[in-house]
Amino acid sequence: MAVSVLLIGLVSALCLFQLNSVFALGVSLDSLNQRSSFTGAWAGTEASSVKCKLQGSIHLPAFSMDGDFIIGGAFSLHSYTQTVSHDYTIMPEPLQLSHAMVFAIEEINNNTELLPGIRLGYQIYDSCASVSMTVPFNIPQVNTLIFFFQTRCLKYACTSAVLIGLPFVVAFASSGDMKILFEELSREPFPPRQWIGSESWVTNPGLRKYSFLAGTIGFGIQKSVIPGFRNFLLNLSFAQVAVSPLLTEFWEDSFNCTIKESEKHFSFFKVCNGTEDIKTLQTPYTDTSQLRISNMVYKAVYAIAHAIHNALCQGRNVTAQCDKLTKLQSKQVSKNESLKKVNFSRNGYDVSFDTNGDPVAIYELVNWQKTMAGITDIVTVGLYDASLPEGQEFQINKNIIWMEGSTKVPVSVCSGSCPPGTRKVLQKGKPICCYDCTACPEGEISNTTGKVKCLSVHVKCFYDANLDTCIPKPIEFLSFQDILGIILATFSVLGACLTIITTAIFLRHRTSPIVRANNSELSFLLLISLTLCFLCSITFIGAPSEWSCMLRHTAFGITFVLCISCVLGKTIVVLMAFKARLPGSNVMKWFGPPQQRMTVMSFTFIQVLICTIWLVLSPPFPIKNLTAYKEKIILECALGSAVGFWAVLGYIGLLAAFCFVLAVLARKLPDNFNEAKLITFSMLIFCAVWITFIPAYVSSPGKFTVVVEIFAILASSFGLIMCIFAPKCFIILFKPEKNTKKHLLYIF
């Protein structure tokens, strides 16, 4: 029968079980596959000669058994390390790991459902991965953490110098290397430190004898149970030991005896006679209370067996039929999809792989806790299970005991965390973990602890007193809900109502002498324009929009020019009426009602033209003023073109000034039949209001700019209606006997 030899490195299979690191603690299988390469944070490594004797070679494995398909395994069955002052030759835990592989293969061979009719064999080699290296410990000190990566040169004088002042030590190295380090550190008193370990050594019960490791914490491979494995380990006969150099060394070291006395140089060793009882040993080999990495080896062998089964066999269970004559290359199992498709359950543990070839990450959080008797126990205090729903993957179900028996989480910095509203400022000449906390500068905040740099506050937000929160600025404008808005709107409506009432009175008495005097047509046009002046002030109230911004300024400018044009026309009528009474004068025929209407329309048309040009070239538009106040946003109308705005106001001022000058000239005419005095007072009020308006408008912030403008409109409008129309309405309503042509000649 042709036998295909399938040599698959078990370490390669174990890599499928080697999961990504969880949190800040590194997770690896260095105890299974100790790398000979040196990686570190410091310079210069010098390798010494290799003094590790390989148990077996490429032709002579440490353990082997023939089969139809051979599974190869490489374990660090020996580790030899030369330090500055000591040499260490140790046989670490992988002896149990190699037997876990043998146990799994024997189980598979006795299984009628998995690979029926096919016998698996094995070849296990001693990789002796810990190549002796001498490393000068000229390591730069780190304030919080130091990482050990496969270090070989160890001495208390150098390790203690590095570790002094370090509250935390994160050790990412193999179990054998860490044992040598701890041995050196235990030679002299060592200050308390919080150790954080990788899974390669944090679950090694052989390291519990070092008392300074109490409080150690780290992630380890999940503890498991392999039924029958302990009996298999203890079922080691003296005959098996005698024929295996590796087991001979193990037996002699465990029982302090020699199997062949002639090979020993020291006569005080007793001779092993086979009466030694392996069940009495308390060694990592016989300890099955912490089956972690051994279970990984066990499941890795089963994973390879299932992959071979999928490639060679048809069917499952007892009906499966396998073709053991098929030639199978190792890459057909390890590099294609066969191994990724494996999905089985063994001893209550599910084994499957995702599309990347990774299994589900399950780790235990272990804590080294001292009992009342002073013994250090490795206690499982939490679990990480990537298969659980998001947010529930990591759970801590027991209290963690830190260094020196403290239940309080140790702090690894010399300065406390900077609270929100402050930032870190490094202390000059001190390590990076020493800093002062200073308040964020104006316009910046920090909303989390330990910020190095404060964040700039968005222009639409403002910071609170604690400098840790960005609060959105409220938007402010003159609304109809504001008290000022309500008051101004009320006065606008009252002014419009008063003007309408006045118009009604004049219509009712339009044939009376006091109404007909001085062109009643201009009086009615003036009343209409005053009504529009009162109403246009309402457009300034409310949230600015594109249309309201254009309407408020243009409506104000045009209605006021119409109003002043009417007053100017009435003033010119007074002057022309006086000239007309002079002998030989016919001036009134040049300034009759048609000419008066044309004058008003002409003056108003100029303002309409100015407003049109303003709206076409650069109209007003709504903006959010972010600079007027730190704590709020002002919603207002931008002028668009300041020239257009001041041209509108300037034209109104020019007409008002011209009207005021004519009224002053006409107020002392010999005949009293004129309104010059009333117009003079109204124009005096009008000019005073708008002259005062300019500095008030420029200096008022936010919504008060609008308030000032509305106040100027209302004040000047009330001044016109009260000075020009109030005396006439008083005569019409309360002094009708004076409403005669004869009497008016002596009143005005």
Side-chain angles (χ1 to χ4, degrees):
M1 179 188 304
V3 179
S4 298
V5 178
L6 177 64
L7 182 58
I8 302 176
L10 187 61
V11 176
S12 299
L14 288 176
C15 288
L16 291 172
F17 289 86
Q18 185 173 356
L19 310 178
N20 292 329
S21 59
V22 180
F23 300 99
L25 306 181
V27 179
S28 70
L29 296 180
D30 284 343
S31 57
L32 299 181
N33 182 20
Q34 298 183 10
R35 298 167 177 79
S36 61
S37 60
F38 172 75
T39 305
W42 48 86
T45 62
E46 181 180 351
S48 65
S49 60
V50 178
K51 297 182 180 180
C52 178
K53 181 181 179 182
L54 289 172
Q55 296 297 314
S57 64
I58 190 65
H59 303 292
L60 295 174
F63 303 105
S64 65
M65 185 179 73
D66 291 334
D68 298 319
F69 295 95
I70 306 299
I71 300 179
F75 298 95
S76 300
L77 299 177
H78 281 85
S79 177
Y80 180 88
T81 303
Q82 180 184 37
T83 67
V84 175
S85 56
H86 296 88
D87 295 342
Y88 295 91
T89 302
I90 59 176
M91 182 181 292
E93 184 183 1
L95 181 61
Q96 186 193 82
L97 304 183
S98 64
H99 278 62
M101 176 179 171
V102 174
F103 176 70
I105 291 176
E106 290 190 5
E107 271 193 347
I108 294 169
N109 287 337
N110 295 326
N111 192 330
T112 59
E113 298 180 0
L114 182 62
L115 293 174
I118 293 180
R119 181 175 178 80
L120 295 180
Y122 56 82
Q123 291 184 1
I124 299 176
Y125 294 87
D126 184 359
S127 66
C128 197
S130 296
V131 179
S132 54
M133 303 176 71
T134 302
V135 182
F137 263 66
N138 184 17
I139 308 171
Q141 295 193 22
V142 184
N143 286 74
T144 304
L145 306 175
I146 180 171
F147 294 79
F148 294 96
F149 297 92
Q150 302 283 23
T151 57
R152 296 294 185 270
C153 171
L154 301 172
K155 186 176 180 181
Y156 182 81
C158 54
T159 55
S160 62
V162 172
L163 297 178
I164 286 193
L166 303 181
F168 281 81
V169 180
V170 176
F172 194 109
S174 68
S175 182
D177 292 334
M178 294 308 299
K179 183 176 181 180
I180 298 170
L181 171 65
F182 296 147
E183 191 67 30
E184 291 291 338
L185 293 177
S186 64
R187 296 182 181 277
E188 295 184 25
F190 184 72
R193 291 293 176 264
Q194 179 60 55
W195 292 85
I196 301 175
S198 63
E199 108 294 340
S200 60
W201 67 268
V202 78
T203 56
N204 186 350
L207 302 179
R208 293 181 297 176
K209 63 181 181 179
Y210 302 107
S211 59
F212 56 80
L213 292 179
T216 296
I217 191 171
F219 281 98
I221 297 170
Q222 189 179 22
K223 185 168 61 176
S224 56
V225 176
I226 304 177
F229 184 48
R230 177 172 172 80
N231 293 332
F232 176 80
L233 293 174
L234 299 179
N235 188 22
L236 188 62
S237 65
F238 188 74
Q240 291 176 295
V241 172
V243 298
S244 172
L246 188 70
L247 293 179
T248 297
E249 181 184 353
F250 163 71
W251 196 272
E252 290 177 342
D253 290 343
S254 299
F255 294 106
N256 292 321
C257 65
T258 178
I259 293 179
K260 294 180 180 180
E261 187 176 359
S262 60
E263 296 182 0
K264 296 291 181 179
H265 301 287
F266 302 99
S267 58
F268 55 84
F269 279 103
K270 64 180 181 179
V271 178
C272 303
N273 54 18
T275 60
E276 296 82 11
D277 188 2
I278 194 173
K279 296 179 181 179
T280 63
L281 291 179
Q282 298 293 330
T283 65
Y285 174 79
T286 60
D287 184 9
T288 58
S289 62
Q290 298 277 340
L291 292 180
R292 299 178 186 272
I293 302 179
S294 297
N295 188 49
M296 301 290 281
V297 176
Y298 180 79
K299 292 191 294 185
V301 174
Y302 266 91
I304 293 176
H306 276 273
I308 297 174
H309 184 100
N310 294 338
L312 301 179
C313 304
Q314 300 293 330
R316 287 286 179 180
N317 301 328
V318 294
T319 62
Q321 295 182 351
C322 303
D323 183 9
K324 64 181 179 181
L325 299 179
T326 302
K327 292 185 178 181
L328 191 66
Q329 301 296 326
S330 61
K331 63 181 180 180
Q332 293 179 257
V333 176
S334 60
K335 294 185 179 180
N336 65 2
E337 298 297 322
S338 296
L339 203 54
K340 293 182 181 180
K341 293 178 180 179
V342 166
N343 190 341
F344 65 94
S345 180
R346 189 69 186 171
N347 300 330
Y349 300 98
D350 296 327
V351 178
S352 62
F353 303 93
D354 60 18
T355 55
N356 297 322
D358 298 321
V360 176
I362 301 178
Y363 293 100
E364 289 180 350
L365 179 65
V366 298
N367 183 213
W368 293 29
Q369 301 181 2
K370 273 192 176 182
T371 63
M372 297 296 294
I375 301 174
T376 302
D377 280 345
I378 300 177
V379 180
T380 299
V381 296
L383 179 71
Y384 177 85
D385 188 348
S387 65
L388 295 176
E390 185 177 356
Q392 303 177 20
E393 300 95 335
F394 182 54
Q395 298 176 353
I396 297 179
N397 45 39
K398 290 184 180 180
N399 292 330
I400 298 176
I401 306 299
W402 303 91
M403 62 179 183
E404 298 185 298
S406 174
T407 57
K408 185 179 179 181
V409 179
V411 179
S412 63
V413 294
C414 67
S415 302
S417 297
C418 291
T422 62
R423 62 184 179 92
K424 293 180 181 179
V425 177
L426 296 180
Q427 296 178 1
K428 189 175 182 180
K430 293 187 178 181
I432 60 173
C433 62
C434 299
Y435 46 80
D436 297 319
C437 299
T438 60
C440 291
E442 184 176 356
E444 296 182 358
I445 65 168
S446 64
N447 52 10
T448 58
T449 58
K451 295 289 288 187
V452 177
K453 185 178 180 181
C454 295
L455 304 175
S456 298
V457 179
H458 194 274
V459 291
K460 293 185 179 181
C461 299
F462 70 95
Y463 50 85
D464 62 354
N466 297 325
L467 301 177
D468 60 358
T469 304
C470 182
I471 303 174
K473 293 180 180 179
I475 297 178
E476 184 181 83
F477 55 88
L478 184 63
S479 69
F480 289 99
Q481 286 74 36
D482 289 340
I483 294 180
L484 277 175
I486 294 173
I487 294 174
L488 294 174
T490 302
F491 275 97
S492 298
V493 174
L494 287 177
C497 292
L498 182 61
T499 308
I500 293 172
I501 293 172
T502 304
T503 304
I505 294 173
F506 269 53
L507 282 174
R508 177 67 178 81
H509 301 86
R510 61 184 178 276
T511 58
S512 62
I514 201 169
V515 174
R516 294 180 62 188
N518 201 357
N519 197 332
S520 60
E521 185 176 342
L522 287 180
S523 297
F524 284 112
L525 189 58
L526 177 58
L527 287 171
I528 293 173
S529 62
L530 282 174
T531 303
L532 296 176
C533 287
F534 280 115
L535 294 178
C536 78
S537 62
I538 298 178
T539 62
F540 287 82
I541 306 174
S545 64
E546 185 176 353
W547 285 103
S548 67
C549 287
M550 291 189 293
L551 178 63
R552 62 175 57 173
H553 289 100
T554 54
F556 152 71
I558 294 172
T559 55
F560 259 79
V561 166
L562 179 61
C563 179
I564 300 302
S565 298
C566 292
V567 175
L568 181 59
K570 293 175 72 67
T571 307
I572 295 175
V573 168
V574 172
L575 289 174
M576 294 300 102
F578 173 75
K579 295 292 185 181
R581 296 187 63 185
L582 295 177
S585 176
N586 59 352
V587 70
M588 284 305 296
K589 72 176 182 178
W590 298 108
F591 201 73
Q595 288 78 14
Q596 296 172 19
R597 289 192 294 270
M598 183 61 66
T599 301
V600 172
M601 292 301 105
S602 298
F603 286 138
T604 306
F605 175 76
I606 295 174
Q607 183 72 308
V608 171
L609 185 61
I610 294 174
C611 291
T612 301
I613 295 174
W614 181 18
L615 294 180
V616 170
L617 296 181
S618 182
F621 57 91
I623 62 166
K624 292 180 178 179
N625 190 333
L626 304 173
T627 59
Y629 294 95
K630 295 181 180 179
E631 68 281 359
K632 56 187 174 182
I633 300 174
I634 304 300
L635 188 59
E636 61 186 11
C637 287
L639 296 178
S641 171
V643 175
F645 174 73
W646 291 110
V648 169
L649 284 184
Y651 184 66
I652 295 174
L654 179 64
L655 291 182
F658 184 47
C659 183
F660 177 70
V661 171
L662 292 181
V664 170
L665 293 176
R667 77 184 191 282
K668 292 184 178 181
L669 292 175
D671 197 349
N672 290 330
F673 186 68
N674 64 77
E675 296 177 298
K677 293 181 180 179
L678 300 179
I679 294 173
T680 301
F681 283 114
S682 64
M683 286 296 99
L684 184 62
I685 295 174
F686 186 93
C687 293
V689 167
W690 286 102
I691 291 173
T692 309
F693 161 80
I694 295 175
Y697 179 86
V698 173
S699 60
S700 296
K703 66 180 181 180
F704 294 103
T705 303
V706 180
V707 172
V708 169
E709 194 166 357
I710 296 175
F711 177 80
I713 293 172
L714 295 179
S716 56
S717 299
F718 274 109
L720 289 173
I721 194 172
M722 296 303 294
C723 291
I724 296 176
F725 293 99
K728 295 181 179 181
C729 289
F730 180 77
I731 293 176
I732 293 172
L733 297 177
F734 302 105
K735 301 289 184 178
E737 68 277 4
K738 296 183 178 181
N739 190 6
T740 62
K741 185 176 180 181
K742 179 181 178 180
H743 186 76
L744 290 176
L745 293 174
Y746 297 96
I747 294 178
F748 298 100

